[in-house]
Amino acid sequence: MVPFPLLMKNNSSSTSSQKGIETVLILDFGSQYAQLIARRVREAGAFSLLMAPETPIEELQKHNLAGIILSGGPSSISDEGAPKCDPRLFEMGVPVLGICYGMQLGCKMLGGSVEGAHAREYGRATLKVKDASGLLRGIPTDTSVWMSHGDQVDAVDNNFRVLATTSTCPMAAVAHETIPFYGVQFHPEVTHTPHGVDLLRNFLYEICGVKNTWQMSDFMEEQCKSIRSQVGDNRVLCGLSGGVDSSVVAALLHRAIGDQFVCVFVDNGLLRKNERDFVETTFRDHFDMDLRVVDARDDFLTDLVGVTDPQIKRTKIGHRFIDCFKKEADVIRVESEQAIKFLAQGTLYPDVIESGHGYSGAAANIKLHHNVGGLPEELGFDLIEPLRDLFKDEVRKLGEVLGLPEGLVWRHPFPGPGLAVRCIGEVTEDKLVVLRDCDEILLEEIVAANLYRSTDQVFAVILPVQSVGVMGDGRTYESVVAIRAVETQDFMTADWARIPFEVLGSISNRIINEVKGVNRVVYDISSKPPATIEWE
């Protein structure tokens, strides 16, 4: 996606506000598993969105509500200032499922009591199912579940019935008799609860009556309608990087509004080897799109002279992108005698959450290069972000539905600031040449070993240190290159990829022998968290 800096004016809206998409809202009380709940619901066939717990009923009702899930969280119900939800939520007639803290909150708001458990449960527990209908239909009588709680529901009135227990939790699952509220003390969303997905499917299909409407083809059509309605007769500028996200946005806009949109590709001098040729061949020649290429290499590299701070790098790159787009938009306006009103961008759901401009604004501000807060007013565009409610794997599915080539759909991500954030310290042309050559060798070896599809992001990083080496009969004092390879489903968390030693050996040997200026290669075995995927 195009790396505009974060600014606070918000011109975008969530795609889920369309009444055509059946939606399950997840009120997030701070659970470490909140995003996982959202993914599990989508995988089961219903669209889901995370919302702030204090969101008023009027906002919730703007969605085509199928159900509501109250997530877990680290707070105790008895804590002063513990998060709450709007009490009118239980008067809507919409099925509600409370998980862990969400169960305790719902039960307390409906007349029950919560206290510290006599025996805290962390880890696996055996669930004894007493009522195998509805929520627990098809769940074995004795099954393993994952617990993580200190408090638990202590008492409920006659309006509740107990569905399941554990040895230390007499009300591990409950249901209200007259209000469509269900609560479970365990976490059905994690893999440590083997039948948790079955429970969530029961909630969605048996209780909420979901019609399995979360199909990517339906989402595509809904988005096309939304884009046409928003754009009208106006033109749209699309920042194309050649990555999966911006490519899917371009294909979606092409389907929705045809020649009303124009793609702009900015060559910032921070691209992978032969990237510009790839983009031009793919989108101008193959897809017959209106593609404008802006050569701004000298401007970007001049901006970065002497800059070592990663956030200053991002800011300078973002401002230069804005300048390039504004100038190109003026050129297009003069040519067509029509102003461009909108800019389309490939913001994803993890971007929204990690940038601190998500459903609650409480997320840590991790990624400053994502434009998830709006656009600078002087740019004069309204923002279109048709992917902002999708996870990465869902974007790939949409790309397949749109007919993009497999090699493009499954391409590894590339950061908006380009190689600038993989060149630690000051960015120079010499370092970029080394980095491009290393990156090309790395990807060639990963593809040759048939590991490209089993890894999710693989790249090289040039470090601001030099090490002593020996080549031939002489000593060398040259650069160190780090290799990063991760496996992930949603890029919110990631684990380092277990690349076979012989493959790592081939990569290292080729880089050291073929790339002048490198005499040492190291492998990054950090997971996210605590590390991030990129080094800067």
Side-chain angles (χ1 to χ4, degrees), residues 173-424:
V174 299
H176 198 280
E177 295 286 9
T178 59
I179 295 171
F181 172 75
Y182 300 79
V184 294
Q185 187 57 66
F186 53 91
H187 289 274
E189 69 273 19
V190 301
T191 56
H192 301 304
T193 301
H195 291 279
V197 172
D198 298 327
L199 184 151
L200 290 173
R201 289 182 65 86
N202 285 340
F203 176 69
L204 295 173
Y205 292 99
E206 299 287 333
I207 295 169
C208 298
V210 165
K211 300 178 179 61
N212 195 27
T213 56
W214 178 233
Q215 303 294 332
M216 198 52 69
S217 57
D218 295 332
F219 177 84
M220 177 187 69
E221 294 303 332
E222 287 283 346
Q223 276 302 307
C224 286
K225 291 178 184 176
S226 176
I227 290 168
R228 284 192 287 266
S229 174
Q230 183 179 2
V231 170
D233 296 329
N234 293 290
R235 300 194 74 190
V236 180
L237 194 66
C238 176
L240 185 63
S241 70
V244 177
D245 305 338
S246 66
S247 298
V248 171
V249 169
L252 185 63
L253 285 166
H254 190 257
R255 182 184 181 91
I257 58 175
D259 59 7
Q260 284 178 248
F261 95 105
V262 56
C263 286
V264 174
F265 174 76
V266 177
D267 184 349
N268 59 7
L270 304 169
L271 304 173
R272 289 169 286 198
K273 201 168 187 177
N274 302 320
E275 183 75 5
R276 178 170 169 174
D277 292 339
F278 168 79
V279 170
E280 290 195 78
T281 300
T282 302
F283 292 92
R284 179 180 288 156
D285 299 341
H286 182 71
F287 288 105
D288 195 27
M289 293 183 184
D290 185 358
L291 174 65
R292 312 296 179 93
V293 177
V294 178
D295 190 338
R297 289 174 290 184
D298 292 342
D299 293 333
F300 278 89
L301 295 181
T302 299
D303 289 342
L304 296 173
V305 171
V307 177
T308 59
D309 184 279
Q311 302 305 348
I312 295 177
K313 284 184 189 178
R314 294 177 186 276
T315 301
K316 285 182 173 291
I317 291 169
H319 283 302
R320 180 59 65 179
F321 263 111
I322 290 172
D323 184 61
C324 290
F325 271 80
K326 186 175 182 180
K327 288 179 179 177
E328 190 62 25
D330 289 341
V331 170
I332 296 169
R333 185 192 71 241
V334 171
E335 289 178 358
S336 63
E337 298 182 349
Q338 181 182 10
I340 294 178
K341 184 176 180 180
F342 296 96
L343 176 75
Q345 188 166 285
T347 305
L348 304 190
Y349 206 22
D351 301 337
V352 174
I353 296 168
E354 291 192 353
S355 296
H357 289 260
Y359 49 91
S360 66
N365 194 338
I366 299 170
K367 295 184 177 179
L368 293 182
H369 67 284
H370 288 302
N371 178 54
V372 197
L375 290 168
E377 293 187 31
E378 69 270 18
L379 197 54
F381 293 135
D382 289 337
L383 189 60
I384 296 177
E385 295 177 307
L387 310 182
R388 69 177 282 124
D389 290 332
L390 298 185
F391 290 99
K392 190 73 175 189
D393 60 322
E394 294 169 331
V395 174
R396 297 191 195 280
K397 291 177 183 176
L398 178 57
E400 290 177 335
V401 171
L402 287 163
L404 289 172
E406 181 180 356
L408 180 57
V409 169
W410 289 98
R411 204 172 192 214
H412 287 183
F414 188 65
L419 296 180
V421 294
R422 295 176 181 175
C423 185
I424 312 302

